[in-house]
Amino acid sequence: MSDTPTSVPTAQASPALRMALGVSVATGLYGISFGALGTAAGLSVLQTHLLSLLMFTGGSQFAFVGALGGGGAAALVSASLLGIRNMVYGAQMNAMFAPRGARRFLQAHVTVDESVATAVGQSEPAEQARGFWGAGLGVFTCWNLMTLVGALLGTALGDPKVWGLDGAAAAAFLGLLWPRLHNRETLAIGVAAAFVTLALVPALPQGIPLLVAAVVAAVVALVLGRRGIEDAR
């Protein structure tokens, strides 16, 4: 019998899963604001929760309930415009993971900013998959749990203006947006959209300034993208 002690491997958490856990908890907490705001905008607890279950796009959800007072059509269009970025993410994730069968539908549903960012932040293919699914499913779970909590709290609190819930959309949306402003291009797009929104709010019906700002943001992004391509040449 050998006297050499047998080494027991120490199980270490995947770096991608550790990142996914932190992202899931941090992002999920914003669900409380969305749940409270949804009921304050006139939605029932069930309707608010179904938005998080079926829509699950974060910023687009806030845009939807934020513009709901200005008319259903404006809310729907503004939320759809903000959700277009998920189509780009979807193409990128399809190329990375090539899902098949029912997995494609699940992957599409949890393709959000956080799952994509966690995936592309890894260098190993296995870690990319762990990061994507860890963050996607983690954010989905935390977001929906906190949405339910926020919706129940919002119903119990009553008048949203008394507790400041009427400003929850702007605050939470800003919290989700701020980490994305990591370079001059995204900062320029954000500043342009904010300027247009502030300028048009006094003159146009609720919800319409957001639509105009979304168009301006798309134009600025297109111009900056073309300029970047020309500089690269």
Side-chain angles (χ1 to χ4, degrees):
M1 239 182 125
S2 173
D3 293 333
T4 305
T6 304
S7 60
V8 179
T10 303
Q12 294 184 350
S14 157
L17 290 180
R18 289 201 301 270
M19 180 184 295
L21 177 61
V23 166
S24 299
V25 173
T27 305
L29 290 175
Y30 285 109
I32 296 178
S33 295
F34 174 73
L37 185 68
T39 55
L43 300 176
S44 68
V45 172
L46 178 60
Q47 289 171 328
T48 302
H49 193 54
L50 284 176
L51 270 178
S52 279
L53 280 171
L54 302 177
M55 197 174 188
F56 186 54
T57 52
S60 297
Q61 292 178 228
F62 279 107
F64 183 87
V65 297
L68 204 55
L76 182 60
V77 173
S78 60
S80 300
L81 286 172
L82 287 169
I84 288 176
R85 71 192 189 283
N86 284 26
M87 296 174 60
V88 179
Y89 291 158
Q92 185 179 6
M93 294 300 99
N94 280 339
M96 183 177 289
F97 300 123
R100 295 182 178 181
R103 181 181 285 249
R104 290 188 304 170
F105 298 100
L106 180 58
Q107 177 175 308
H109 195 56
V110 297
T111 297
V112 291
D113 295 329
E114 291 75 18
S115 59
V116 172
T118 306
V120 300
Q122 314 304 317
S123 56
E124 299 293 330
E127 283 294 278
Q128 289 174 342
R130 291 189 191 103
F132 176 83
W133 289 107
L137 296 175
V139 171
F140 180 81
T141 301
C142 294
W143 182 266
N144 279 280
L145 285 174
M146 292 300 100
T147 292
L148 182 58
V149 171
L152 294 172
L153 284 175
T155 302
L157 290 175
D159 186 0
K161 293 182 180 179
V162 173
W163 304 95
L165 294 180
D166 52 326
F173 191 87
L174 216 73
L176 289 173
L177 175 67
W178 189 256
R180 276 81 172 171
L181 302 179
H182 52 76
N183 56 44
R184 287 182 297 177
E185 287 76 12
T186 54
L187 187 58
I189 294 170
V191 169
F195 177 80
V196 169
T197 302
L198 291 173
L200 296 180
V201 162
L204 296 178
Q206 186 176 353
I208 302 302
L210 183 61
L211 301 183
V212 178
V215 174
V216 170
V219 172
V220 173
L222 181 62
V223 171
L224 291 176
R226 286 181 175 175
R227 189 172 297 174
I229 293 174
E230 291 175 357
D231 291 342
R233 290 174 182 172

